[in-house]
Amino acid sequence: GGASSFWGNQIALSPSPLCCARFAWAFVPPSMAAVGLAGPPPARLPALLAVPLWVYLGAPAADLLAGEDTRNPPLGADAAPPPAPRRSSDRRQGGAARRAAFLAVPAGYAGAYVGLFWWGLGAVARGLPPPRLALLTAAIGVLGGLAINAAHELLHSRERWCNALSGAVLAHVAYQHWQESHRVHHLHVAMRGDPSSARLHEPFARFLPRSVGGNVRDALASPAAGPARKALWLAGPTLVAALAWRAAGPAGLAFWAGQAALSVFQLELVNYIEHYGLRREDDGGPPRPEHSWDCAFPITGATLLHVTRHADHHAHSARRYQDLQLSPQAPRMPLPYPALMLVALFLPPLFYRMMDHVVDREEAQRPGDGHRAGRRRGAETGRHAERQDAGQGAEHQLQHQDPQDPQATQHT
């Protein structure tokens, strides 16, 4: 609350272009990577190491010290969502000033990531010892995960060049089909068939292949994607991989593939926590706030361009990042995004305990609205999948089984 104003969040309440000042947090990691590539030699290794350390430890720690910021920007005429399903024209969103405010951060970050990728590839071509190559790959991969978030904002734009820049970012992480599968996710979010919505008690190790494969399936099956667009999904990453090989040989290809894999891994971790355990009926109408998790921590929220205000994003996908609202009806994450991602990855029992407590509370507040039944079906489906895998999570799943359960899930 009050302490968070120290971090510069007062300016986020203004609809002026100055609201971009808050989102300067997004450029801290790429600035560190730039120092790691071109700074004084003694500073390069620490700067590269600082990228993942800041994103996953420093920024969440600062958020926990600052506390949540639950204020919302005003929804004036220039911030109201347009009636069209996609982003409105600049004229309807308040003119050139708001256009500049919108584009400065996501487009700037996307360009920074692409530039740093090729800058890093040049360093690889000149020759790096394996430990430094691995660290550079990790740093650019962390930036790639954040850049997917910028690409996500750009793909919701109606401007073709924004969509093209979004596709360029996704080509660098070999996930260009996600431009289409994400739109499908918005239709089916939290439903049974949505691969990007995690089921109750579903381990991330099981969610990851289901989500990656399901996103490919949904993109290929989408009637909105013609043969030319599908060919582009393959041509884009292939071109980037070929150029990486030409520039730096096997090391260049390994650098591209490693940072792409880490970028997609982070995207799927984000997908995992954003709808974990929340379900809606297949005929339940449009998504409601209780079908997405919100997060109110300011620094990581600004770094992630307010995708942390996820319920409002699904309710108003045409609303730009600087105008997204925190919903009082949405379940609230107990930790900043990166911290919760680490807990989900390394401490699943603790993650279940933290999140299930909130899901149970949400259920108790909404008896008979279909949410409880949907959640139980999702939990039963997850348990059934676990029992089929003679694997490690069976005991944990069985202890949560409800003998009255029936059976049971889509985009960010």
Side-chain angles (χ1 to χ4, degrees), residues 359-371:
V359 173
D360 289 341
R361 187 177 67 213
E362 292 294 314
E363 284 186 349
Q365 294 172 355
R366 298 178 182 85
D369 69 349
H371 180 73

Side-chain angles (χ1 to χ4, degrees), residues 74-81 92-94:
L75 279 179
D78 64 342
R92 292 167 68 184
Q93 281 283 15

